[in-house]
Amino acid sequence: MRKRSGAEVFRITGARQGLAEDVRGRQRRYVISMSVRTVSVVLAAVLWNVERPVAVVALVLGALLPYVAVVIANAGRESPPSLPSTFVPAPVRPALEAAPVARPADSDRARSTPDPQEHS
């Protein structure tokens, strides 16, 4: 396995969906909203003489849904703030510490003291 030092690492879970997939999803949401609007307007026309309060609610729903559908369909390519950052920094490896430097006085003292095991 080859290691690249200093290479940027990206999380795939934070990647945005493709543009074609995004447009398809927005078109689907718009068509669903407009279908609900059409059903509510037809329902308002059918119920106008039978159940007037329900017909008025359906008519208001049919009048407000085009605005809501356009707002929902145009809410597309923004990045959700809850997703993690797509960049993951490379882990930092701890550096080795330098060996302690012996002072000349310590080395002279080490030579002058006899080792008890030498004379056995």
Side-chain angles (χ1 to χ4, degrees):
M1 183 180 223
R2 218 172 25 155
K3 292 184 181 179
R4 290 185 276 168
S5 62
E8 293 181 354
V9 179
F10 292 92
R11 291 184 191 171
I12 191 65
T13 56
R16 294 163 80 182
Q17 63 184 3
L19 183 60
E21 187 178 333
D22 179 57
V23 170
R24 242 190 331 267
R26 289 193 278 156
Q27 286 175 341
R28 183 175 38 243
R29 288 191 302 264
Y30 184 77
V31 167
I32 290 170
S33 299
M34 287 294 102
S35 299
V36 170
R37 178 199 184 235
T38 303
V39 168
S40 67
V41 169
V42 169
L43 189 66
V46 169
L47 293 177
W48 190 255
N49 289 330
V50 179
E51 195 69 38
R52 185 140 317 172
V54 176
V56 169
V57 169
L59 191 60
V60 169
L61 184 66
L64 292 179
L65 264 177
Y67 172 75
V68 173
V70 168
V71 168
I72 289 173
N74 287 335
R77 302 286 289 174
E78 293 88 18
S79 296
S82 63
L83 285 179
S85 171
T86 57
F87 177 71
V88 178
V92 179
R93 294 184 180 177
L96 294 175
E97 294 181 15
V101 178
R103 294 182 293 173
D106 292 339
S107 61
D108 291 340
R109 194 177 319 141
R111 286 188 210 137
S112 64
T113 54
D115 190 12
Q117 294 177 353
E118 286 181 8
H119 301 290
S120 336

